[in-house]
Amino acid sequence: MITTRRTAALLVATAALLVGGTACSSSGSKPGAASVDRSAATVTTAPAIDPITIVVTDDDGIDAPGIDELARQLSKLPEVTVKVVAPATDQSGTGDKTTPGEVAHHPGETSSGIEGTAVEGTPADSVNVALDELGLKPDLVASGVNKGQNVGPLAKISGTVGAALTAARRGIPAVAGSAGLTDPDYELGAKYVVEWVKANRARIAAGRMATGRVVNFNVPHCTSGEAQPLVDVPTADAIPEGTSPFEADCAATPASFTPTDDVDALAHGFSARSVVTVPTRPSTD
């Protein structure tokens, strides 16, 4: 009886050891045996995105389709707050002029219903109202998308560019966008601005963008063919006689053609990115 009991005890102990060994085994376990993955779980965390605030304005008026397209596309970016502050009416061709004295403003909205502020003044007034009256502290001012290209000497009289120049003069990075006079491609104009914001976002959020200049995007109107790619070109000093930057036979442009400036680019169907330097003093009425 004693031998039998001892033999039984040994069998029970051996079984317990075998069970314990199986529970602790991993990749070396026998087929069918349970295994426990004791490796640490890998957690991937997306890099943090710094929030930025963008004031959106134009010179065609707060209810124009171009500013609505730009505001809607910018609003889709993560951690971006869009504040629309724009002229109540069309203020094309006012450059960076400002209105003496107090400038009235009131609630308004874009054509799709984005709430904003309508300013009874120029595009430059709108920027000043945003900063001084509304107390906004934007990281960027985006102006457009304008109906009609603002290239060469036309950039100096553009209210769209003028609003951006006003912001830059006050130490705020600024970008402008314009499309064609006929059947303007607001979507493409806004796309270029948005891509520029995405590419420069870290610098914008850190306050490291240059403010002595305005980045100026213009997209062509093609009477045939499709728009050529975006090119970096200088701002033209003049528009040559017989040259129109407002429309182009895009299908006729040779693949090897290289534009010399923004007027040349638009006349041959290219989208253009150029730089407008900030004048020391703003224009006045």
Side-chain angles (χ1 to χ4, degrees), residues 1 10 21 23 41 57 60 68 73 76 117 126 173 181-182 209 220 254 265 269:
M1 289 294 295
L10 286 171
T57 191
D60 291 332
D68 183 70
Q73 286 201 34
K76 294 178 182 179
T117 300
S126 298
L181 277 172
T182 304
M209 289 296 296

Side-chain angles (χ1 to χ4, degrees), residues 18 29 35 47 50 54 58 77 81 86 97-99 121 151 178 184 193 197 209 216 230 235 259 281:
L18 289 173
S29 301
S35 63
D50 291 327
I54 302 176
D58 72 346
L77 295 177
T81 299
K97 293 179 179 179
T98 56
T99 304
V151 293
S178 300
V193 172
V197 171
M209 289 296 296
N216 186 29
L230 178 69
T235 301
R281 296 182 180 180

Side-chain angles (χ1 to χ4, degrees), residues 133-148:
E133 301 298 325
L134 303 181
L136 300 179
K137 297 180 179 180
D139 300 286
L140 176 74
V141 168
S143 187
V145 175
N146 184 67
K147 181 180 181 179

Side-chain angles (χ1 to χ4, degrees), residues 201-224:
R201 177 164 186 156
R203 296 172 63 198
I204 293 170
R208 294 189 287 108
M209 289 296 296
T211 58
R213 62 180 195 167
V214 165
V215 179
N216 186 29
F217 288 95
N218 284 276
V219 298
H221 167 64
C222 295
T223 56
S224 65

Side-chain angles (χ1 to χ4, degrees), residues 71-139:
R72 286 191 295 108
Q73 286 201 34
L74 287 171
S75 296
K76 294 178 182 179
L77 295 177
E79 297 297 327
V80 168
T81 299
V82 169
K83 299 289 186 180
V84 176
V85 186
T89 58
D90 189 343
Q91 296 289 318
S92 298
T94 55
D96 60 351
K97 293 179 179 179
T98 56
T99 304
E102 185 177 352
V103 179
H105 59 87
H106 51 83
E109 61 181 31
T110 70
S111 58
S112 70
I114 300 174
E115 295 182 354
T117 300
V119 177
E120 299 293 342
T122 67
D125 289 332
S126 298
V127 172
N128 289 333
V129 165
L131 303 181
D132 301 331
E133 301 298 325
L134 303 181
L136 300 179
K137 297 180 179 180
D139 300 286

